[in-house]
Amino acid sequence: MQWSVDVSGTHSANSVLLAGGLCLILLTLSVPMLPATAQGQTPGQPLPVNPDYAFPNRETPPGVDVNSASLVENANLWNGHTVSFKGETIGEALIKGNMAWIHVNDDPYMEKSAAAAGTLSGYNSGHAIWLPADSARKIGVFGDYRHQGDIVKVSGVFNAACPEHGGDMDIHATSLTILRSGHSIEHPVSANRGLAAVGLFVLAGGLYGVRRRTKLMGL
Amino acid sequence: MLVRPRLNDAKIIGLYTGKIIIGVGLLMLLPLATALVFGDWRAAVDFLVGIGACFAFGLAMEVLCRTRRDMSWSHGLVVASFSWLVAMALGAIPHWLSGHFGSYLDAMFDVMSGYTTTGMFLLQDLDHVSHGVNMWRHLLTFAGGQGIIVIALTFLFRGTAGAYKVYVGEGKDERLLPNVIQTARAIWLVSLTYLVVGTLALWATALWLGQGPVRGFLHALWIFMAAWSTGGFAPQSYNTMYYHSLVYEVISVVIFVIGSFNFALHWAVWTGDKSEIRRNIEVMSFTVTLTITLLVSTVGLMQLNVYPDVMALFRKMFYQVASGHTTTGFMTIYSRTFVRQWGTLAMLGVTVAMAIGASACSTAGGFKGIRMGLIFKALMQDVRRMISPESARVTEKWHHITTRVLDDSAVRAAMLIVISYVGLYSFGALVGVYYGYDAVQALFDAVSAGSNTGLSCGVASPAMPAPMKVVYIFEMWAGRLEFMSLFALGGYLIAMVRGR
């Protein structure tokens, strides 16, 4: 006797859909199994401290100065602490009603941007700050290609995974002080580069002429 | 016996490479225009240098390599792989001149990352970069997603004889329409339509979030380009976390998930066959593997109690895993958060998601859903064979645009590519471990580079050793071209040395 187990594409698709559905059900079922700490309480302290970066202890006073790298590297330890954070405001203020988001970078470029300084020191680093819109409006200049932003000092509560903002890592600011106003950045044009561009276009034009002539000659 | 390539072979490769590089020069016109509109004269001059170099190189190739010989399949494959390297070297000129890169190698890294829609970057001080450079970064990834070759096919190639061969060499083999140039244009039609709709949706959200109209528009356009091409670049160093908006995240997820689908699927839906979505093997495969990797990451995050509530956990976990699985690379967390908060299990969930990737003939990288589906079906077929009587004829079918019977050659081809990817990922990870990085972190970033994802846990950085940068460039290039073009280029080089 010949058996024919002929599985059509549609049947296979259904079985795959069934498998996917089962996984989704499992995912849903797993939610009530979340530990209490994952359902709205203080996050745990699961990973060991990174001793290369600052971390708080019992004697750490509220409002202690801290940098962005330490906050990321030892996020769980800093969670809920009141910290002070200094850096350059970049981008823009995203104002929503009475509150606003700003971004403050405490990297080496806060003093002088890469293009202006001519030196490089790695990636940008900073933190998102949630603060009253009125405070955000005090900021005169935000850093971008043409501007060095205001240098500000922010004090507030650090959240490793903010319950109010979908788990974002942020600082809820209670105060903002503008330490130094921002300014515009000059980007002078290099004459050598201009000459190089002209030279390359002349060369390309010449080559285009040669190509056209060889085409006309049928070569 | 290996046959040494003749002068005419080199001429064919040079001629088509030249045409593609002229295409790269034409692409630079858009960032040049952006720089001029915003009065960024220094950036404008940098782009003029880049355009001049591309035109000069391309035209020189056309003059030196004039030939009437037709292109063969092997030529097409070699052109595809070689032209990407030349495009990387010349496309890096404006990047290097911008002053934001530590070395020319770093600039080439970012260009390859853009072309291959990876999204890793070594650019420093991104938050002070000009609009022109940002436009170039995102245009690179958008154009790379469509395929540089597709662009050249659309605008520069007159005949279709050789065009299809280069097109296939770039890792795309779907013919939506009988003519490959029509296919290339169809890809553009679909992409540009989504570009308008997606950018408008993101722009409206940006205005609601408080961005100004000009910055909001530019950000919307760039985020669309990066999402649609599953690239992962963003105009600010905070990536998509910058917007702190669930709406912005949802829109970007919709764009990058749609962008990660096969162009043939897009075309089927575009032309009215909506049932293809639920029948297509890649959609099914993607649904299952996404769910599994979401589960793994959820368990990992639950173990460590990272997030304060279920909604926060789901929002963060889903975004990073979906971004990884579609090989996009957008992040709403800091790179080091993977290591310092997410932990090993959740990271492995994301790593597996990145390794699998999304659909073939799309902008996504990784093993691809179609191969996972075929291998899974082959496994099921073998299991059925084992439990069936010896005389039973066990057949398995799979559906991608048309329904086909599963045969050994398709499974073998899928396995070959998957094994090549595993080798590529392992190579990158081993190099990372050799340079002293933690194994899990080295694997995470190596898989990210090889699958053209762009998520990083902090290994990829301007400070990493130069040989690792070269390895990552190789991974991005090999992963994007899916190996066949690479093998062809390798074979060509060997034949040059050892052929007769």
Side-chain angles (χ1 to χ4, degrees):
Chain A
M1 189 181 76
Q2 276 261 331
W3 260 30
S4 182
V5 186
D6 206 357
V7 187
S8 76
T10 316
H11 286 142
S12 296
N14 284 342
S15 62
V16 175
L17 264 182
L18 183 67
L22 277 173
C23 288
L24 275 175
I25 291 166
L26 273 173
L27 189 65
T28 315
L29 287 176
S30 70
V31 169
M33 295 190 297
L34 281 167
T37 45
Q39 291 186 48
Q41 294 177 22
T42 314
Q45 192 179 310
L47 293 171
V49 64
N50 186 341
D52 296 337
Y53 295 86
F55 58 91
N57 53 35
R58 284 184 185 173
E59 282 85 51
T60 304
V64 65
D65 286 339
V66 65
N67 63 29
S68 58
S70 297
L71 290 175
V72 173
E73 289 295 328
N74 290 315
N76 293 327
L77 293 170
W78 284 109
N79 185 51
H81 276 73
T82 300
V83 296
S84 288
F85 185 76
K86 185 182 122 179
E88 177 198 6
T89 54
I90 57 103
E92 67 250 285
L94 301 173
I95 295 174
K96 290 174 84 175
N98 295 328
M99 300 299 286
W101 283 108
I102 60 167
H103 296 87
V104 177
N105 285 2
D106 64 342
D107 51 43
Y109 310 112
M110 68 186 246
E111 300 294 343
K112 219 168 190 185
S113 74
T119 54
L120 295 166
S121 312
Y123 291 132
N124 294 115
S125 63
H127 264 289
I129 314 288
W130 178 245
L131 75 175
D134 288 342
S135 298
R137 288 194 185 96
K138 287 181 195 162
I139 299 165
V141 184
F142 287 89
D144 58 22
Y145 177 65
R146 293 170 157 270
H147 301 95
Q148 200 74 50
D150 288 356
I151 303 289
V152 298
K153 184 168 185 175
V154 174
S155 290
V157 178
F158 171 73
N159 297 295
C162 178
E164 194 185 330
H165 295 114
D168 280 358
M169 189 180 284
D170 62 19
I171 295 171
H172 286 209
T174 48
S175 73
L176 177 136
T177 314
I178 296 175
L179 301 176
R180 197 167 70 225
S181 293
H183 56 86
S184 57
I185 304 170
E186 294 299 318
H187 295 283
V189 178
S190 155
N192 287 343
R193 287 184 194 177
L195 283 173
V198 171
L200 285 164
F201 271 92
V202 169
L203 177 64
L207 288 163
Y208 181 74
V210 174
R211 191 190 72 161
R212 237 183 127 196
R213 200 177 317 151
T214 49
K215 260 190 181 172
L216 286 174
M217 290 163 71
L219 294 173
Chain B
M1 186 187 76
L2 281 172
V3 180
R4 189 192 294 269
R6 307 285 175 235
L7 182 63
N8 255 336
D9 296 308
K11 278 187 169 181
I12 292 170
I13 292 161
L15 179 69
Y16 280 89
T17 302
K19 284 176 185 288
I20 289 163
I21 297 305
I22 290 173
V24 173
L26 290 173
L27 268 183
M28 282 188 203
L29 291 173
L30 189 55
L32 169 67
T34 308
L36 291 173
V37 164
F38 288 97
D40 301 338
W41 310 118
R42 179 172 148 176
V45 170
D46 294 347
F47 281 106
L48 282 172
V49 174
I51 294 167
C54 287
F55 284 176
F57 179 89
L59 289 164
M61 286 291 108
E62 289 205 357
V63 169
L64 294 171
C65 301
R66 270 197 84 72
T67 176
R68 293 180 179 203
R69 238 184 92 186
D70 281 340
M71 185 187 275
S72 68
W73 280 105
S74 57
H75 290 137
L77 294 171
V78 174
V79 167
S81 50
F82 181 62
S83 62
W84 277 60
L85 294 179
V86 182
M88 172 186 71
L90 291 170
I93 292 172
H95 268 13
W96 168 240
L97 295 176
S98 72
H100 285 265
F101 291 88
S103 66
Y104 201 80
L105 178 65
D106 289 10
M108 290 200 293
F109 182 102
D110 273 34
V111 173
M112 183 57 88
S113 177
Y115 282 145
T116 56
T117 73
T118 304
M120 278 180 172
F121 67 93
L122 301 181
L123 183 149
Q124 299 176 54
D125 196 13
L126 174 60
D127 292 328
H128 287 113
V129 97
S130 72
H131 288 324
V133 170
N134 252 330
M135 181 63 86
W136 182 225
R137 296 172 70 231
H138 292 87
L139 188 64
L140 275 173
T141 201
F142 187 64
Q146 312 315 299
I148 304 170
I149 309 295
V150 170
I151 296 164
L153 286 176
T154 315
F155 301 109
L156 299 172
F157 283 34
R158 291 221 177 91
T160 62
Y164 183 63
K165 292 157 188 166
V166 195
Y167 174 74
V168 173
E170 202 176 35
K172 291 181 163 65
D173 55 1
E174 302 279 8
R175 275 206 213 214
L176 314 179
L177 295 164
N179 180 319
V180 67
I181 292 182
Q182 286 174 340
T183 299
R185 286 177 185 160
I187 289 173
W188 273 105
L189 173 70
V190 173
S191 295
L192 291 176
T193 306
Y194 277 110
L195 174 80
V196 173
V197 176
T199 303
L200 284 175
L202 289 168
W203 190 20
T205 311
L207 294 174
W208 173 67
L209 290 175
Q211 280 197 300
V214 175
R215 269 180 68 86
F217 173 75
L218 289 173
H219 278 226
L221 178 67
W222 293 333
I223 292 292
F224 175 85
M225 285 176 162
W228 177 253
S229 61
T230 65
F233 282 151
Q236 302 283 162
S237 63
Y238 294 80
N239 207 272
T240 44
M241 186 170 59
Y242 182 80
Y243 307 99
H244 304 280
S245 163
L246 179 63
V247 178
Y248 215 91
E249 286 169 28
V250 169
I251 294 171
S252 64
V253 167
V254 169
I255 295 168
F256 66 62
V257 168
I258 295 175
S260 74
F261 287 155
N262 195 305
F263 282 118
L265 174 65
H266 279 291
W267 193 247
V269 175
W270 192 267
T271 49
D273 184 10
K274 292 192 174 57
S275 66
E276 183 63 30
I277 294 176
R278 66 182 169 77
R279 293 161 66 205
N280 194 286
I281 189 172
E282 288 195 296
V283 179
M284 302 304 156
S285 169
F286 177 75
T287 308
V288 172
T289 52
L290 175 66
T291 311
I292 292 168
T293 49
L294 283 173
L295 266 174
V296 172
S297 297
T298 303
V299 172
L301 292 174
M302 279 165 53
Q303 270 187 342
L304 299 178
N305 304 330
V306 178
Y307 290 103
D309 55 59
V310 174
M311 270 311 292
L313 182 146
F314 184 76
R315 181 172 162 185
K316 288 294 175 193
M317 181 268 302
F318 182 85
Y319 195 86
Q320 306 340 295
V321 175
S323 172
H325 205 316
T326 55
T327 72
T328 304
F330 277 158
M331 298 168 78
T332 54
I333 58 174
Y334 292 92
S335 294
R336 290 289 297 167
T337 297
F338 279 121
V339 179
R340 298 301 305 152
Q341 283 186 286
W342 277 44
T344 304
L345 185 59
M347 279 178 76
L348 286 176
V350 181
T351 307
V352 172
M354 292 191 292
I356 295 169
S359 298
C361 200
S362 73
T363 61
F367 299 154
K368 309 286 185 324
I370 195 165
R371 297 194 185 105
M372 293 301 291
L374 287 177
I375 292 167
F376 177 76
K377 278 186 172 284
L379 183 71
M380 287 295 102
Q381 191 180 29
D382 280 358
V383 170
R384 283 202 185 92
R385 271 193 193 129
M386 277 187 267
I387 59 172
S388 303
E390 277 184 31
S391 56
R393 187 173 61 85
V394 180
T395 58
E396 188 86 43
K397 289 180 183 170
W398 58 286
H399 183 87
H400 171 63
I401 310 303
T402 58
T403 302
R404 286 164 257 196
V405 175
L406 186 69
D407 60 51
D408 285 350
S409 63
V411 178
R412 186 169 166 270
M415 281 300 292
L416 180 71
I417 299 291
V418 168
I419 289 168
S420 301
Y421 270 111
V422 171
L424 186 72
Y425 298 154
S426 307
F427 173 60
L430 284 173
V431 173
V433 171
Y434 172 79
Y435 279 105
Y437 291 94
D438 169 82
V440 174
Q441 296 175 40
L443 180 69
F444 188 95
D445 274 38
V447 169
S448 180
S451 63
N452 304 128
T453 304
L455 291 177
S456 172
C457 64
V459 174
S461 82
M464 73 176 166
M468 266 186 82
K469 293 174 185 171
V470 174
V471 168
Y472 278 20
I473 288 174
F474 172 75
E475 276 202 73
M476 293 189 270
W477 178 58
R480 181 69 171 86
L481 295 177
E482 296 203 326
F483 307 103
M484 297 320 285
S485 296
L486 246 72
F487 296 154
L489 181 62
Y492 184 83
L493 294 174
I494 291 168
M496 277 175 70
V497 178
R498 300 185 58 185
R500 292 178 189 170

